[in-house]
Amino acid sequence: MSEANAPETRRFDTEVHQLLKLMINALYSNREIFLRELISNASDASDKLRFEALTNDDLKGLDQDLAIDVRFDAEAGTLTVSDRGIGMNREEVIDNLGTIARSGTKQFLESLSGDKQKDAALIGQFGVGFYSAFIVASEVAVETRRADEPAARGLRWTSAGEGEYQLESIEREAQGTTITLTIRDDHKDLLSDWQLRRIIRHYSNHIAFPIRLAQAGKDDEAETVNDSKALWARAKSEISDEDYRDFYTSLTGDEEAPLSWAHHHVEGSQRYSMLLYLPSQAPFDMLINRDEREGVKLYIQRVFIMDAAEQVVPRYLRFMRGVIDSADLPLNISREILQDNPLLKKIRSTVVKRSLDLVEKLAREGGEAWQKFYSAFGSVLKEGVIEDFEQRERISSLLRFASSNSDDASVGLDAYIENMSEGQDTIWYLTADSLKVAKNSPHLEAFRKRGIEVLLLTDRIDEWLVAHLHEYKGKQLKSAASGQLDLEDDQVEPDEAAKKLAGRIKKALGEQVGNVSAGSRLTDSPGCIVSDDNAMSLQMQKMLRQAGQEVPESKPDLEINAGHPLLEAMAAEDDDARFGELSQLLFDQALLAEGGELADPAGYVKRVNALLVGALGRDKGDDRAASA
């Protein structure tokens, strides 16, 4: 070899050396991104060749049949990524692979947070992706020739990632770049067809160029493993409904067809494409796994970056599926700066608008599709009322509930307002554990008597929902279990005897109860628990306890129906001990009717049994007297 062609050893820029040490020693948590980055670089090189061929006659003809080849040799422990793109000359190799001139390495290092998984996700956003090869490789060799240079001007770059690299001139017939990785022993499990196929399809499935995969020495068996047709990048007029459905299945693995979809292109100073789907079924952990938003995938120029974070898809829309692809998202951003990026905010706003457009359209059309959607995702949608103040009324209009007039969840707030009784200006609701408990609640008696519809809220989230939704279109929402009903019709002020009975019951129950009052809301039941408008409901207390939360001590109020036969009998009871037992039984029954929990279930059973025995004894005595 002539002296001119002898390998030249050069040291990395200091910051690149620092980055290499970090790559090798710290960022193993997301090792697979190295292949995404190498394929992305190969795609960029192919794009650059096509672009330069438009103005450089020497390159015309070289920009055809471009592809990216991935070869693995499990026995030799190597992995090769090749392209026939623009390639690099000597100056570009030194700039791109040895210094921070174009890599953004310095900014990358300044943006690291210390979280391995998050920091690994930043690699592709800083143009330092080539260095990610050292996550899995003990040595990296790059052979390249710029497409507009002669074969004798090829270059070989090699490094073990330990502070220096070697550069030498070589003969290379093919234009483009070949990168060969010598894989470390603890990462050789990657050298298999199924592993590489999985990684390529996950991260690079929609790269614009074919990605061919083969085992070394079996080039005739090379198979294109990616789908280079990014459906979302095509014009809507070119895509059939069947195409949309097929893409949904390939994207999600869900064999059941989506209910609806929206395809959206934005051109101009800020460019992005969006394809959103409404699925027809929910994953089993949809309600409990609020932080996983794997449904909408974020791409940058067809390269998968991440499952869309909350900055793009709010939690209450985590059921959405689809793709967002932007050519203009800045790539040198950390997760914290991501929140303040104007384009991200615009994309998020569009995601919310288009998603709610789809849901509204489904609601207007009604039928089986709407019922299917609401059954699967209605509870999740309710979270938006709590979390998104800007969209609160729009989301509220999409919610549906059972009611005292309807068993199925079909009553919306707009329909409720339209069917309000004359003079009614309040939206009444009742929360309960189940529809059966709600339907049998004594609180409905006053409303049935007056022909007023009450919404029955039985989802666990409904307690939080009504805590945030105080009014809708100028109508106040109020609980039917409220201490003050304000029905303003035939409510009767209790007489002195009723007040005296209420006071006696209060004395018997003592500290168990806050207040006991005689009222006129009940028609069939002897008593019910009522709550202050600002107090925590029994349902909320119960859910917080089940979640292991501390609940502040509170005393429920009891309202009695003094005209009920049980209360009339109690008023005539002279035995204070028996009166106390009956008062306790009355209070326990009211708690149970609300779905509440008894402090002493065994005592309740004992009191009921005693009453039954007494009643049966009197019946037998009456029978004996009659026979005598």
Side-chain angles (χ1 to χ4, degrees):
M1 180 180 294
S2 67
E3 186 175 335
N5 288 339
E8 174 189 359
T9 298
R10 302 171 64 101
R11 293 201 62 79
F12 283 115
D13 177 280
T14 302
E15 286 165 345
V16 172
H17 184 206
Q18 185 181 351
L19 175 65
L20 289 173
K21 289 174 62 179
L22 183 69
M23 291 284 184
I24 296 168
N25 298 315
L27 293 178
Y28 290 117
S29 61
N30 195 8
R31 62 178 184 166
E32 295 174 359
I33 55 92
F34 86 92
L35 188 55
R36 175 191 75 180
E37 296 307 315
L38 296 184
I39 290 174
S40 182
N41 288 346
S43 176
D44 290 344
S46 300
D47 274 331
K48 288 176 182 176
L49 177 62
R50 282 183 171 176
F51 180 77
E52 291 197 22
L54 296 175
T55 56
N56 187 338
D57 290 339
D58 293 338
L59 299 179
K60 287 181 179 177
L62 299 177
D63 59 336
Q64 303 298 313
D65 302 322
L66 298 177
I68 300 166
D69 290 295
V70 179
R71 301 288 182 270
F72 67 96
D73 189 331
E75 187 173 337
T78 59
L79 179 70
T80 301
V81 179
S82 301
D83 67 72
R84 298 180 66 253
I86 192 65
M88 292 180 283
N89 59 29
R90 184 181 181 86
E91 181 182 354
E92 288 168 333
V93 168
I94 293 172
D95 281 349
N96 290 331
L97 305 186
T99 72
I100 66 164
R102 298 193 182 117
S103 67
T105 310
K106 184 176 182 179
Q107 294 94 320
F108 175 84
L109 292 169
E110 290 173 350
S111 299
L112 294 177
S113 65
D115 184 317
K116 291 183 181 181
Q117 189 167 355
K118 289 182 180 180
D119 293 341
L122 292 174
I123 290 171
Q125 300 178 21
F126 280 85
V128 296
F130 169 77
Y131 302 129
S132 66
F134 288 100
I135 293 176
V136 299
S138 60
E139 183 178 80
V140 177
V142 179
E143 293 188 358
T144 186
R145 176 175 70 82
R146 210 176 194 283
D148 55 2
E149 301 240 348
R153 299 289 293 273
L155 290 160
R156 179 185 291 118
W157 179 101
T158 57
S159 177
E162 295 179 351
E164 60 185 27
Y165 61 93
Q166 288 75 44
L167 189 62
E168 63 180 302
S169 298
I170 61 170
E171 288 272 345
R172 179 178 167 90
E173 288 298 324
Q175 93 250 9
T177 302
T178 298
I179 302 174
T180 302
L181 282 61
T182 302
I183 304 298
R184 300 175 190 275
D185 288 343
D186 50 343
H187 296 294
K188 286 185 176 178
D189 61 303
L190 294 172
L191 297 175
S192 69
D193 182 87
W194 77 269
Q195 277 275 44
L196 294 171
R197 188 181 299 264
R198 176 185 61 80
I199 295 170
I200 291 169
R201 285 181 172 168
H202 180 67
Y203 289 104
S204 308
N205 197 41
H206 303 291
I207 289 288
F209 303 95
I211 303 172
R212 299 186 296 229
L213 176 64
Q215 190 169 344
K218 298 182 179 180
D219 287 351
D220 57 332
E221 298 179 11
E223 180 185 352
T224 299
V225 296
N226 69 314
D227 176 8
S228 58
K229 299 175 183 177
L231 190 78
W232 63 85
R234 293 163 53 189
K236 289 187 280 187
S237 59
E238 301 174 1
I239 308 172
S240 67
D241 287 353
E242 185 177 358
D243 290 334
Y244 280 119
R245 294 189 187 99
D246 289 345
F247 181 73
Y248 171 81
T249 299
S250 68
L251 183 72
T252 65
D254 185 357
E255 295 295 335
E256 192 162 344
L259 296 172
S260 186
W261 57 82
H263 192 182
H264 185 52
H265 290 290
V266 173
E267 301 292 342
S269 60
Q270 294 179 327
R271 296 171 296 153
Y272 61 91
S273 297
M274 181 179 298
L275 176 54
L276 299 174
Y277 289 95
L278 273 183
S280 57
Q281 59 183 353
F284 73 94
D285 59 349
M286 173 66 70
L287 291 178
I288 60 175
N289 202 355
R290 298 184 70 238
D291 292 324
E292 290 296 327
R293 280 176 295 286
E294 298 182 354
V296 179
K297 300 183 182 299
L298 182 63
Y299 286 75
I300 294 180
Q301 297 184 10
R302 297 189 179 193
V303 178
F304 175 73
I305 299 300
M306 68 173 90
D307 289 303
E310 189 179 1
Q311 294 93 329
V312 179
V313 182
R315 283 188 176 96
Y316 68 88
L317 292 177
R318 62 185 178 275
F319 52 80
M320 295 300 296
R321 298 290 182 263
V323 170
I324 299 167
D325 190 357
S326 171
D328 298 316
L329 275 177
L331 301 182
N332 58 343
I333 48 180
S334 69
R335 288 176 179 264
E336 289 72 29
I337 300 174
L338 202 68
Q339 297 175 359
D340 298 324
N341 181 267
L343 179 54
L344 253 301
K345 288 183 178 180
K346 182 173 179 58
I347 290 175
R348 177 189 170 98
S349 176
T350 306
V351 168
V352 171
K353 181 182 184 304
R354 296 289 173 174
S355 298
L356 294 180
D357 285 348
L358 286 175
V359 178
E360 285 175 340
K361 183 173 183 290
L362 212 60
R364 286 194 301 271
E365 293 171 351
E368 184 180 351
W370 166 248
Q371 294 298 330
K372 199 169 189 178
F373 167 82
Y374 199 80
S375 175
F377 306 115
S379 295
V380 179
L381 195 62
K382 289 176 181 177
E383 296 174 16
V385 175
I386 301 167
E387 297 173 354
D388 193 341
F389 179 81
E390 186 177 344
Q391 300 293 336
R392 178 170 295 174
E393 187 159 298
R394 188 179 184 192
I395 297 169
S396 298
S397 71
L398 294 168
L399 305 184
R400 300 291 184 267
F401 308 95
S403 80
S404 53
N405 297 344
S406 172
D407 287 349
D408 58 342
S410 61
V411 182
L413 295 176
D414 290 309
Y416 181 94
I417 292 173
E418 188 175 335
N419 295 327
M420 274 183 171
S421 302
E422 186 176 351
Q424 181 185 346
D425 61 358
T426 300
I427 299 173
W428 293 100
Y429 68 85
L430 182 66
T431 59
D433 274 344
S434 67
L435 184 60
K436 187 173 183 179
V437 170
K439 282 280 189 181
N440 293 320
S441 172
H443 290 293
L444 296 184
E445 294 173 14
F447 295 90
R448 288 194 179 107
K449 177 182 176 182
R450 296 164 175 84
I452 297 175
E453 186 175 22
V454 179
L455 299 177
L456 305 180
L457 281 56
T458 56
D459 279 352
R460 291 179 64 84
I461 194 175
D462 285 339
E463 286 285 352
W464 281 272
L465 173 72
V466 294
H468 290 79
L469 186 63
H470 303 296
E471 69 170 20
Y472 178 75
K473 293 187 175 179
K475 304 294 184 181
Q476 183 184 10
L477 274 76
K478 193 169 183 180
S479 173
S482 170
Q484 297 295 324
L485 287 186
D486 300 328
L487 294 179
E488 297 180 355
D489 56 359
D490 55 352
Q491 296 186 79
V492 179
E493 180 69 20
D495 57 25
E496 288 304 315
K499 292 179 180 179
K500 181 178 179 182
L501 177 59
R504 191 179 174 194
I505 293 173
K506 163 63 180 168
K507 182 177 179 181
L509 294 174
E511 294 301 312
Q512 297 180 72
V513 68
N515 183 46
V516 179
S517 60
S520 58
R521 79 172 69 208
L522 300 174
T523 58
D524 300 319
S525 302
C528 66
I529 300 296
V530 295
S531 58
D532 183 89
D533 289 347
N534 299 316
M536 187 183 298
S537 70
L538 291 178
Q539 294 300 318
M540 180 68 84
Q541 293 179 38
K542 183 178 178 180
M543 284 190 291
L544 290 176
R545 289 193 186 98
Q546 289 173 345
Q549 301 291 320
E550 287 190 12
V551 179
E553 287 294 327
S554 63
K555 299 173 184 177
D557 292 338
L558 177 66
E559 182 175 312
I560 61 171
N561 176 8
H564 191 277
L566 175 59
L567 274 299
E568 290 176 346
M570 288 177 64
E573 181 59 61
D574 295 328
D575 187 333
D576 287 342
R578 182 174 171 79
F579 183 87
E581 289 293 300
L582 291 170
S583 297
Q584 186 67 55
L585 188 61
L586 176 69
F587 180 60
D588 288 348
Q589 284 179 333
L591 281 174
L592 289 174
E594 290 293 303
E597 298 175 334
L598 300 183
D600 182 15
Y604 171 76
V605 172
K606 185 177 179 180
R607 279 186 288 275
V608 171
N609 288 340
L611 284 172
L612 290 173
V613 169
L616 290 171
R618 283 196 298 273
D619 289 344
K620 288 181 178 179
D622 293 342
D623 290 343
R624 290 192 192 100
S627 62

